[in-house]
């Protein structure tokens, strides 16, 4: 599986958690583990792996929503 495919799969999971932060099914540790995996892929990417700007934007947008809604976990 390519880095792009892995990142897309993880972003779908991350989106699912972030879209339903107040839902009973959201486990903060699972959400953070997915986000850590995303970060690892981003850090390991090379110019040859060429991740699209769309994927980077998606990460930033989801992080923004998560950051704004962080009080849900207090």
């Amino acid at each position: 599986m390519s880095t792009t495919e892995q990142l897309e799969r993880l972003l779908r999971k991350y989106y699912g958690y972030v879209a339903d932060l107040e839902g009973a099914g959201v486990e903060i540790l699972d959400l953070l583990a997915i986000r850590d995996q995303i970060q690892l892929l981003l850090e390991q990417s090379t110019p040859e792996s060429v991740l699209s700007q769309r994927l980077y934007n998606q990460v930033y947008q989801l992080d923004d929503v998560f950051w704004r809604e962080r009080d849900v976990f207090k």
Side-chain angles (χ1 to χ4, degrees):
M1 184 180 298
S2 73
T3 301
T4 298
E5 291 170 331
Q6 290 175 339
L7 186 56
E8 287 174 340
R9 182 180 54 81
L10 289 169
L11 282 171
R12 282 191 297 275
K13 288 182 179 182
Y14 188 41
Y15 173 81
Y17 283 124
V18 171
D20 190 26
L21 286 174
E22 294 184 25
V26 174
E27 296 289 333
I28 187 66
L29 293 179
D30 292 339
L31 183 150
L32 293 174
I34 294 295
R35 183 57 182 88
D36 283 347
Q37 291 175 29
I38 290 169
Q39 189 62 39
L40 185 62
L41 284 176
L42 293 175
E43 290 172 1
Q44 292 176 346
S45 66
T46 63
E48 294 80 30
S49 63
V50 186
L51 296 172
S52 74
Q53 189 63 43
R54 176 187 61 83
L55 292 176
Y56 283 109
N57 288 343
Q58 200 172 0
V59 172
Y60 296 131
Q61 289 170 352
L62 290 170
D63 283 350
D64 183 56
V65 171
F66 180 44
W67 184 252
R68 284 186 281 123
E69 300 294 327
R70 68 189 179 277
D71 290 341
V72 168
F73 296 106
K74 286 185 177 183

